[in-house]
Amino acid sequence: MRKIKDKMFVVMLSFFIIFAFFVSFMGINDVVEHEKVMKFLEDDLVRQCQELDRNVASEENLDFCDKVLGDDYERYKRTAYETYDYYVLEIVRKYCNEFVLILIIVIGSTFYVTKFLRSRVILNELVRNNYNDVKKKLFFSSWKYSLLVSLMLFIIFIIIILFVGNIELNVYHLSNTIFSSNILVYFGVLLLNAFILTLIYTNISLIVARKEHNYILAVIKSYILIIGIEIFFEVILYNIIFKLFGSSFGAYFNLLAVYNYSYTDENLLVIWLLIAILIITFVILHYRYRNKEKLVIDCEKNDNKEED
């Protein structure tokens, strides 16, 4: 029986790295073009005010020009936060929105495990290794895909910080939060948020793949389940909490916000909720794979062939 290789991971790793550079430089280029336009308008405005005949100009025009000539336009330059939030994030979502991203992660995280179980390689593996080691191998084959989005965002953040340089974080809606004074904290929480969410996706894929060894069906079922859970959070759970307690607390349950950290005014509340959901998926995952004999029986029902 030939050894199964996870060739999908190398392909996706390359994709996310290339995509990170692509969107970063496109976003930075947009920032540069924006600043060129702003600089042109600024220079034109300054020139007009310098040429203004103060003897005949109205008081209103004089006050306006005094502000223009006294203003420091350097402070209007884009920061690292603004570059990501206003430019790069828009490009990321244009070419790979959250729904597409979830599908990509599911496609990758179900690849090896379904091939492994369908081809009954596990039967030979259990002869040489104990069941816990075999499970770890299966789980990590999917879990490694949860690093891809965080790696992509990390590369984007590094490029933005190196090119933009301005790491100040003086944004009104972030005041009085843990993010108010440090862009690195904000980016760090974004990375953690992305990692937890994608790890939830991979756990759900593993849960589905336990019974569904057909790769295509496993991808479809995993994707539908993730989207179904999100719909449950947004429609059912939200309304239940709102009707019982008059609170919009249910809005904090979100499996789609991979690229940005929602509800920053609540600091790390959303992270804690995501960790709780993640723990639930780990519990279900453990329960689904705890019985070696049942897994072996399910694998023996396969036709001992890999899908084309």
Side-chain angles (χ1 to χ4, degrees):
M1 187 177 294
R2 62 194 180 102
K3 186 177 181 181
I4 300 174
K5 296 181 180 180
D6 191 0
K7 295 175 283 188
M8 183 77 71
F9 184 73
V10 177
V11 173
M12 288 201 173
L13 177 63
S14 302
F15 165 77
F16 278 100
I17 291 175
I18 294 171
F19 187 66
F21 281 94
F22 169 72
V23 299
S24 297
F25 288 117
M26 281 195 68
I28 290 170
N29 180 68
D30 287 348
V31 170
V32 171
E33 292 301 316
H34 170 81
E35 289 187 348
K36 284 182 180 178
V37 173
M38 294 302 295
K39 181 64 176 174
F40 173 80
L41 294 175
E42 171 204 338
D43 291 343
D44 185 59
L45 200 58
V46 169
R47 179 185 58 78
Q48 291 181 37
C49 285
Q50 288 175 338
E51 296 175 354
L52 179 70
D53 187 345
R54 305 184 72 87
N55 295 319
V56 298
S58 67
E59 185 175 343
E60 182 180 354
N61 285 338
L62 288 174
D63 289 341
F64 174 76
C65 280
D66 286 341
K67 290 180 181 179
V68 168
L69 296 174
D71 206 348
D72 177 16
Y73 283 87
E74 287 294 314
R75 65 190 181 93
Y76 295 114
K77 281 194 171 184
R78 292 298 182 189
T79 64
Y81 170 82
E82 292 169 327
T83 301
Y84 175 75
D85 209 48
Y86 300 156
Y87 292 91
V88 175
L89 185 55
E90 180 180 346
I91 299 171
V92 170
R93 284 180 169 149
K94 177 180 178 181
Y95 293 101
C96 185
N97 64 49
E98 287 85 349
F99 291 98
V100 173
L101 179 70
I102 292 173
L103 181 59
I104 292 173
I105 297 299
V106 169
I107 286 173
S109 61
T110 54
F111 180 79
Y112 181 86
V113 62
T114 53
K115 299 289 183 181
F116 188 86
L117 297 177
R118 183 175 177 82
S119 64
R120 304 198 298 183
V121 172
I122 190 173
L123 304 181
N124 289 339
E125 288 282 336
L126 288 173
V127 174
R128 300 189 299 268
N129 303 295
N130 65 58
Y131 185 49
N132 284 332
D133 290 338
V134 174
K135 282 197 299 183
K136 288 177 183 177
K137 181 178 180 180
L138 273 181
F139 293 167
F140 277 102
S141 72
S142 290
W143 287 343
K144 64 187 177 184
Y145 286 90
S146 64
L147 298 171
L148 293 178
V149 179
S150 295
L151 174 63
M152 177 188 75
L153 292 178
F154 179 76
I155 293 173
I156 289 173
F157 296 155
I158 293 297
I159 293 174
I160 288 175
I161 290 173
L162 289 176
F163 275 79
V164 177
N166 189 349
I167 60 173
E168 293 181 4
L169 190 55
N170 186 19
V171 184
Y172 175 75
H173 74 271
L174 296 181
S175 59
N176 299 318
T177 71
I178 61 172
F179 312 103
S180 60
S181 60
N182 198 327
I183 186 65
L184 299 181
V185 173
Y186 180 77
F187 281 165
V189 171
L190 273 181
L191 292 177
L192 180 60
N193 177 75
F195 174 70
I196 294 173
L197 280 171
T198 47
L199 189 54
I200 290 172
Y201 304 157
T202 59
N203 275 356
I204 291 174
S205 298
L206 283 167
I207 291 167
V208 171
R210 166 59 186 84
K211 284 288 187 178
E212 183 53 77
H213 302 167
N214 181 290
Y215 174 56
I216 301 299
L217 291 179
V219 169
I220 295 173
K221 290 181 179 180
S222 298
Y223 185 77
I224 291 175
L225 182 56
I226 293 170
I227 301 302
I229 293 172
E230 176 62 23
I231 293 173
F232 169 79
F233 285 159
E234 289 193 9
V235 178
I236 300 176
L237 182 61
Y238 176 86
N239 285 309
I240 289 175
I241 294 176
F242 186 79
K243 288 180 179 179
L244 290 178
F245 306 103
S247 169
S248 58
F249 183 79
Y252 299 139
F253 292 85
N254 190 322
L255 294 185
L256 296 182
V258 186
Y259 297 133
N260 63 305
Y261 185 67
S262 304
Y263 302 104
T264 49
D265 55 318
E266 297 294 340
N267 291 314
L268 296 181
L269 173 62
V270 176
I271 289 290
W272 289 116
L273 290 176
L274 289 179
I275 290 175
I277 296 171
L278 178 63
I279 292 173
I280 292 173
T281 64
F282 274 121
V283 171
I284 297 173
L285 184 63
H286 169 74
Y287 177 79
R288 293 280 281 181
Y289 284 84
R290 68 175 181 172
N291 193 311
K292 180 179 74 173
E293 287 72 25
K294 287 185 178 180
L295 179 58
V296 169
I297 292 172
D298 288 338
C299 291
E300 288 177 336
K301 294 177 182 178
N302 295 322
D303 58 8
N304 199 25
K305 293 180 180 180
E306 291 187 64
E307 299 155 288
D308 296 329

